[in-house]
């Protein structure tokens, strides 16, 4: 029998798989800004819980190694069961942690390189707006200091003057809200746990909806906003986004028909969730995060107690007065 049970640590590793379906409902039923922050915080919390669980799984089996036991001044290993099973669990958990870390570093470097290349293309302009002389239509918000709105000459020709104002207002909302940072948080969370990959699309939809609403307020016409978003998306449908970095957001991405319907006040084909269902969904997502954090904290407390026992400070190894 193992002194430290690994069963509580399974919860933070399983719960993120349930987040995707819940987040898809929330992204289409809550106000965009509220949905964005709920999705980002939930993904970050679940990623932290799963990462902590893997780290805690590494420790018990590692104490079977003499150098580790000596470093911790342990009289006995923390895992008192089969050493082979404990070491295998440690090796698997350590490998998963290393793989997640490698993915984080690789993707962070890739995003930085893409952003740097895009910033070099925009370096010749001193204004917020950068016009690239390219035939394929595209427009996106380029983060940085200062942030830039990049639009191609092909996109300018595809839209009327009022529609261009909508697209510019949309991209300006992305820059003002620093939405690329929120995308980065969820992208990194998805590298920590594969179940959180399903949160990426709901988040991008909620971010685009938030920018849509900001653009509609800026131009004062929801129908014009819907028409501009739809025409811009149609223009880019067969055109590759050759210079757009991975973390950037654009008015032409995501489920555009749903966004247009929301701007026009038309309900989705499946019907909007009722208020009790929305409340139940929010409660369920909050419970997932709290359960994950609670299980990780409980496992950490058990580990601390187990270390004290293995060191002879309390319990059966405590010194006799």
């Amino acid at each position: 029998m193992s002194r430290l049970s690994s069963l509580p640590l399974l919860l933070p590793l399983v719960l993120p798989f349930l987040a995707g379906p819940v987040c898809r409902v929330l992204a289409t039923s809550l106000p965009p800004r509220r949905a964005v922050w709920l999705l980002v915080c939930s993904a970050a919390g679940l990623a932290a819980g799963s990462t902590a669980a893997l780290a805690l799984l590494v420790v018990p089996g590692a104490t079977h190694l003499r150098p580790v036991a000596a470093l911790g001044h342990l009289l006995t290993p923390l895992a008192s069961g089969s050493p082979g099973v404990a070491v295998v669990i440690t090796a698997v958990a350590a490998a998963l942690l290393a793989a997640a870390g490698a993915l984080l570093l690789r993707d962070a470097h890739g995003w930085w390189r893409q952003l740097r290349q895009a910033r070099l293309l925009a370096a010749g302009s001193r204004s917020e707006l950068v016009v690239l002389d390219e035939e394929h239509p595209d427009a996106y918000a380029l983060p940085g200091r200062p942030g830039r709105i990049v639009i191609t000459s092909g996109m300018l020709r595809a839209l009327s003057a009022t529609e261009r104002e909508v697209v510019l207002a949309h991209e300006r909302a992305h820059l003002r809200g620093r939405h690329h940072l929120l995308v980065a948080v969820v992208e990194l969370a998805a590298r920590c746990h594969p179940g959180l990959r399903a949160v990426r699309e709901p988040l991008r939809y909620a971010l685009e909806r938030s920018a849509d609403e900001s653009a509609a307020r800026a131009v004062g016409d929801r129908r014009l906003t819907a028409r501009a978003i739809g025409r811009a998306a149609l223009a880019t449908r067969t055109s590759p986004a050759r210079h757009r970095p991975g973390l950037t957001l654009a008015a032409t991405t995501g489920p555009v028909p749903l966004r247009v319907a929301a701007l026009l006040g038309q309900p989705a084909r499946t019907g909007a969730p009722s208020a009790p269902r929305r409340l139940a969904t929010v409660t369920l997502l909050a419970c997932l995060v709290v359960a994950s954090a609670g299980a990780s904290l409980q496992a950490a407390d058990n580990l601390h107690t187990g270390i004290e026992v293995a060191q002879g400070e309390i319990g059966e190894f405590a010194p006799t007065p």
Side-chain angles (χ1 to χ4, degrees):
M1 178 73 67
S2 174
R3 183 180 290 116
L4 296 177
S5 174
S6 5
L7 290 179
L9 293 176
L10 295 179
L11 203 58
L13 299 177
V14 172
L15 291 179
F17 288 107
L18 305 178
V22 178
C23 290
R24 280 193 291 271
V25 174
L26 291 181
T28 56
S29 60
L30 290 180
R33 287 189 179 182
R34 192 180 305 171
V36 164
W37 287 106
L38 189 57
L39 296 180
V40 171
C41 293
S42 299
L46 290 170
S50 64
T51 303
L54 287 176
L56 291 170
L57 282 172
V58 170
V59 178
T63 59
H64 281 282
L65 303 175
R66 289 184 180 179
V68 176
L71 183 64
H73 306 288
L74 305 179
L75 302 178
T76 62
L78 294 180
S80 58
S82 169
V85 173
V87 170
V88 167
I89 293 176
T90 292
V92 171
L96 291 175
L97 280 175
L103 284 175
L104 287 174
L105 292 175
R106 184 200 67 181
D107 292 340
H109 180 264
W111 294 330
W112 176 84
R113 188 178 66 251
Q114 292 174 5
L115 285 173
R116 183 172 178 272
Q117 292 173 349
R119 296 288 299 179
L120 288 175
L121 287 174
S125 175
R126 295 185 179 181
S127 66
E128 178 192 45
L129 181 62
V130 177
V131 179
L132 298 181
D133 186 17
E134 294 189 5
E135 289 298 320
H136 77 281
D138 198 13
Y140 54 89
L142 180 62
R145 294 186 179 181
R148 303 290 179 87
I149 299 172
V150 180
I151 190 167
T152 66
S153 55
M155 179 64 82
L156 291 176
R157 286 191 292 270
L159 303 176
S160 66
T162 54
E163 291 167 346
R164 295 172 199 159
E165 289 300 319
V166 171
V167 172
L168 295 180
H170 179 103
E171 306 305 344
R172 194 172 291 116
H174 282 317
L175 292 176
R176 186 171 57 248
R178 301 184 70 80
H179 290 169
H180 63 284
L181 296 179
L182 305 180
V183 172
V185 169
V186 173
E187 289 289 344
L188 294 177
R191 270 55 174 186
C192 294
H193 194 289
L196 296 174
R197 295 173 186 169
V199 183
R200 294 182 296 187
E201 288 306 314
L203 173 70
R204 286 183 176 262
Y205 170 76
L207 287 172
E208 295 301 336
R209 282 284 300 118
S210 178
D212 289 343
E213 293 297 328
S214 294
R217 288 192 297 269
V219 301
D221 190 335
R222 298 182 67 84
R223 294 189 65 85
L224 170 62
T225 304
R227 185 174 72 247
I229 297 299
R231 289 193 64 181
L234 286 174
T236 60
R237 185 173 54 181
T238 59
S239 178
R242 293 182 294 179
H243 302 299
R244 189 191 304 168
L247 290 182
T248 56
L249 291 135
T252 57
T253 58
V256 174
L258 287 179
R259 291 166 51 201
V260 169
L263 284 167
L264 297 177
Q266 300 172 357
R269 287 177 295 179
T270 55
S274 62
R277 184 185 174 190
R278 289 196 298 269
L279 178 60
T281 307
V282 172
T283 303
L284 176 58
L285 185 58
C287 288
L288 293 178
V289 177
V290 170
S292 176
S296 297
L297 290 174
Q298 181 62 49
D301 183 66
N302 292 342
L303 178 63
H304 180 264
T305 302
I307 290 174
E308 291 184 331
V309 171
Q311 289 174 335
E313 297 180 6
I314 62 175
E316 60 182 299
F317 298 107
T320 303

